[in-house]
């Protein structure tokens, strides 16, 4: 289901983007001309009355967007998992001592060796979707992989350096 986002110019201030959630709450973001952003929650009975306004720094706005984006992507993967029996999604932390720290994803040959696919990597607060074979891992990356139980166990073993190949 698509969500409708309404944009309202605020002369002399900036622009306001609002959306109504499925629970009937109106949430908005006011983007000021000076770059400031406010996350705004409106009164259910009066959509023009602001109940709470939270100013966000650039870093806070970026972090919030990342958190919401990451949870959305993981939710979509969970939906995919429900559609295909036997297909699992797993987050696998790349240990600091992994032989693949500072090496390319392609060096793992994970899909060829296990049949499981690495579909995303989470680093700090960023989600890197569909990393290519030239993507270089860093310590503490979290790999999101999709595959069978044995395939995911194989990816975990490869990334930990416990695989014999």
């Amino acid at each position: 289901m698509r969500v409708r986002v309404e944009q309202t110019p605020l002369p002399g201030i900036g622009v306001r983007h609002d959306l109504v959630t499925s629970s009937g709450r109106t949430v908005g973001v006011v983007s000021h001309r000076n770059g400031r952003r406010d996350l705004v929650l409106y009164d259910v009975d009066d959509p023009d009355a602001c109940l709470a306004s939270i100013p966000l720094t650039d870093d806070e706005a970026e972090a919030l967007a990342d958190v919401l984006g990451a949870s959305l992507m993981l939710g979509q993967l969970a939906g995919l998992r429900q559609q295909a029996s036997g297909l699992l999604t797993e987050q696998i932390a790349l240990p600091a001592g992994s032989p693949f720290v500072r090496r390319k994803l392609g060096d793992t040959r994970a899909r060829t060796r296990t049949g499981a696919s690495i579909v995303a990597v989470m680093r700090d607060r960023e989600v890197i979707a569909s990393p290519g074979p030239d993507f270089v891992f860093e310590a503490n990356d979290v790999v999101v992989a999709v595959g069978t139980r044995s395939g995911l166990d194989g990816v975990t073993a490869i990334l930990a350096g416990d695989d014999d190949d």
Side-chain angles (χ1 to χ4, degrees), residues 38-102:
D38 295 323
L39 181 63
V40 183
L41 180 63
Y42 297 97
D43 189 320
V44 173
D45 298 322
D46 181 0
D48 290 326
C50 174
L51 289 179
S53 175
I54 303 168
L56 299 173
T57 65
D58 288 348
D59 288 341
E60 293 164 341
E62 183 179 341
L64 182 61
D66 287 345
V67 167
L68 293 172
S71 67
L72 177 63
M73 186 184 82
L74 293 176
Q76 290 170 338
L77 289 173
L80 175 64
R81 179 177 58 205
Q82 291 174 352
Q83 293 175 9
S85 178
L87 188 62
L88 304 170
T89 304
E90 193 161 278
Q91 297 179 34
I92 305 164
L94 187 70
S98 169
F100 293 100
V101 170
R102 299 185 199 281

Side-chain angles (χ1 to χ4, degrees), residues 12-14 30-38 58:
I13 297 172
V30 175
S31 300
H32 297 261
R33 288 182 170 180
N34 64 5
R36 186 179 117 202
R37 286 176 212 84
D38 295 323
D58 288 348

Side-chain angles (χ1 to χ4, degrees), residues 114-125:
T114 69
S117 295
I118 295 173
V119 297
V121 175
M122 296 186 292
R123 178 178 292 161
D124 298 321
R125 296 178 302 194

